[in-house]
Every structure is written in C-alpha cells, then in structure tokens.
Amino acid sequence: MDRDKIFSWLKAERLSLADLLDDLGAHEWESDSLCPGWTVHDVAAHLTMSTRSTLLGTIGGVIRARGDFNTMVADQARERAARFTPAELVAQFRQTAGSPRRALGAGPMDPLVDALVHGQDVARPLGRLREMPEGPVMAALAHVHDSSFYGARKRFLGTRLVATDLDWSAGEGPDEVRGPAGDLLLLATGRVSGLAALSGSGAQRIAARLGGR
C-alpha cells in the first residue's frame, strides 16, 4: 500500500484522537481503558512514545523488563503518564501527529493500527462513540490478520472472518466470525470486547482462546 496514503490516514487519526483526549474530564483520564491494567492516562502516554522512542531507550527498557516486550511497553507508558499531565500529553500528541518516525521494529502500518485500536481502548469504556474510517480500518485489519506480531494468525487458525459493514473477508476454515470491521480489528488485536458485536461458529472458540481478556 502507498506509504503517503497510510501516513495521511495516520495523521488524521492522531489529530482526531487528540481532540477526543482533550475533551475528557479528569475522572475519565483515570478510568480503566480496554488495555488490562492501563488507565486512559497510561494509553495516552503510550501514544506519544512511538515518535519519541530511541534505540538506547528501547534496549534499556527491554533489559529492565527482563526481555519481556509487553512489560517494557507497559512500564514505559506508566512512567511517562506519571511525568506528564493530560494537557501536556495532548499537546505532545498533536505536536508530532505529522511525524513519520515510528518505534523500533514497527512497519508503516503499525502506528495506524496503534492509533485506531487505542482510540477504541479509550472511547469504549467511557461510552463514547468513535467511528473508524473505512479505508484505514480495512487496511489495518488486513495488516493485523497477516502479521505474526499481533498473534492473529494463531488466534484465527481455521477461521474465516467476514466484515458485515464493509467489503472485506480473510482466512478460511470450518469456522466463521462475522461482524463490523472495527470489532474484528479489536478481536484481531486480542480485545475480548470486540466479541460483543460478532457472531458465527468461531466466535465462542476464539473467546475461549482469549481467556476473557
């Protein structure tokens, strides 16, 4: 896919998400997100990091987390959330919304996936509706489905995914999962909340694989 197109989607999604964050009240910033153990404040801090991470900082974080990448990401998000106020994080997010810089090892699509999914991590627990634009969500879903990083290959083994609101499908097998593309994206990135709007013979099996996460 054309990188300029991906980047234009990413910038628009970041600025839209910054507007959402700027509209939140103090109590909402301290609310739980869809990321287990992360507050909305933690998620916002994490979102500012992809354009600010360094090789040395990443290596040091991995060492401190004893090689656990997910622990490193969570630790760094919480450390940054403790350092900066909500207003400061929103300003930082807007400041680098147009930056092409990305975290070590990330491909061009990964920051877009991050912004789309974390936007839902923030919005859904707060009861706020956040639509995912058609082009970006289809591209993100295709990327996550085929990537080894997100665990979707194993999660959807033997399962066909069918979007009910867009012309998109992927995978094959005896089971099927149907639903809105945005909910399929949440499920593909391990969010059990995505199951609420989904149906099909594979939905229950995948729920069991997620273990209620």
Side-chain angles (χ1 to χ4, degrees):
M1 177 167 287
D2 182 78
R3 292 195 177 198
D4 289 339
K5 172 67 74 175
I6 296 171
F7 183 66
S8 68
W9 285 341
L10 172 60
K11 183 177 179 180
E13 190 65 23
R14 282 173 169 168
L15 290 174
S16 173
L17 183 48
D19 289 341
L20 169 64
L21 292 169
D22 204 20
D23 189 51
L24 300 183
H27 67 288
E28 291 178 302
W29 275 84
E30 299 313 313
S31 297
D32 291 334
S33 73
L34 291 184
C35 299
W38 289 35
T39 65
V40 169
H41 198 155
D42 296 332
V43 173
H46 167 71
L47 285 166
T48 67
M49 294 182 64
S50 64
T51 56
R52 292 172 172 80
S53 62
T54 64
L55 175 59
L56 288 178
T58 300
I59 292 174
V62 170
I63 292 172
R64 288 191 296 274
R66 299 183 179 182
D68 189 316
F69 178 81
N70 290 329
T71 296
M72 177 204 72
V73 171
D75 287 347
Q76 290 186 341
R78 293 188 185 105
E79 289 168 5
R80 191 168 183 83
R83 287 176 55 199
F84 297 104
T85 67
E88 289 171 331
L89 290 173
V90 171
Q92 291 171 12
F93 198 40
R94 283 203 175 106
Q95 182 183 26
T96 54
S99 173
R101 185 175 174 181
R102 54 183 185 266
L104 180 68
M109 279 296 305
D110 292 312
L112 178 61
V113 172
D114 218 32
L116 287 167
V117 173
H118 283 316
Q120 300 302 313
D121 288 337
V122 168
R124 292 196 177 201
L126 300 178
R128 291 175 176 255
L129 179 64
R130 181 168 176 78
E131 299 288 347
M132 294 193 203
E134 178 177 328
V137 74
M138 287 179 68
L141 186 50
H143 173 70
V144 171
H145 183 271
D146 294 338
S147 171
S148 60
F149 176 76
Y150 298 93
R153 289 181 185 176
K154 181 178 180 180
R155 192 172 297 126
F156 294 133
L157 186 64
T159 305
R160 176 171 172 78
L161 305 183
V162 181
T164 54
D165 57 340
L166 302 175
D167 184 18
W168 184 91
S169 62
E172 55 185 42
D175 288 329
E176 184 174 274
V177 176
R178 303 175 62 86
D183 292 273
L184 291 174
L185 180 60
L186 289 182
L187 189 62
T189 53
R191 273 76 172 167
V192 73
S193 62
L195 282 164
L198 303 180
S199 62
S201 57
Q204 187 173 358
R205 179 173 53 81
I206 292 173
R209 285 182 180 177
L210 288 172
R213 289 187 292 112

